Amino acid sequence: MASFRIALYQPDIAGNTGTILRMAACLGVAVDIIEPAGFDLSDRNLRRAGMDYLEMAALTRHVDLDRFEEWRLADGRRLVLFSTRSGQAYTDFAFGGSDVLLFGRESAGVPDHVHGLADARLTIPMPGGGRSLNLALAVAMAAGEAMRQLG
């Protein structure tokens, strides 16, 4: 199991979350979901996207941001936020084994107070001019880079 983790802040789309859980199960990466989610975690779309990998996924649900922060700080983990509002490319960042890679809601990202909690803020450059990437794709790119760096 990889030592870094992926966290989803109040995800909106069950299919994206299912895809992320499937990818994380295959790569051995734990996932934290900061609730409330915009869907029921037993949603049919979540199960369809995650297929039979959901049982393999190392998933921790946090009832809210405060409980997530209590856990993260007690565990000594750095919070690395991915945001379109950052100027630092994720490929120019040195990931650590205790990092939590945080991704915001598909519809709205994360609120300003969550930005304030982050130890680092990173972006995936989009030289083609797009506004944002699909959440599952962005998580896969970030996880791949963290795994490449950490071996």
Side-chain angles (χ1 to χ4, degrees):
M1 173 97 30
S3 52
F4 72 91
R5 299 173 71 95
I6 295 166
L8 305 178
Y9 178 83
Q10 300 179 353
D12 290 324
I13 301 172
N16 281 339
T17 301
T19 299
I20 292 164
L21 289 169
R22 179 180 180 180
M23 178 212 63
C26 289
L27 298 180
V29 177
V31 176
D32 295 277
I33 293 181
I34 303 164
E35 297 189 30
F39 54 89
D40 185 323
L41 287 175
S42 64
D43 187 286
R44 183 173 60 94
N45 291 323
L46 175 71
R47 290 190 315 273
R48 181 173 46 232
M51 296 175 57
D52 56 339
Y53 294 91
L54 293 181
E55 291 82 32
M56 295 171 47
L59 172 63
T60 302
R61 294 167 57 181
H62 303 271
V63 68
D64 59 24
L65 180 64
D66 290 339
R67 299 301 90 67
F68 169 79
E69 274 296 283
E70 287 173 11
W71 163 80
R72 181 183 73 84
L73 294 172
D75 215 34
R77 292 183 171 272
R78 183 169 66 167
L79 188 62
V80 180
L81 174 64
F82 279 73
S83 172
T84 58
R85 295 173 30 193
S86 172
Q88 183 176 3
Y90 77 113
T91 52
D92 295 333
F93 181 77
F95 290 97
S98 65
D99 288 348
V100 176
L101 313 183
L102 177 63
F103 297 84
R105 299 183 77 160
E106 291 92 338
S107 62
V110 299
D112 288 340
H113 71 277
V114 177
H115 271 267
L117 298 173
D119 298 298
R121 287 162 216 76
L122 307 177
T123 193
I124 298 172
M126 292 176 277
R131 184 173 39 89
S132 65
L133 294 169
N134 171 276
L135 179 65
L137 178 59
V139 171
M141 292 173 70
E145 177 64 13
M147 290 184 82
R148 183 191 71 78
Q149 287 186 24
L150 297 170

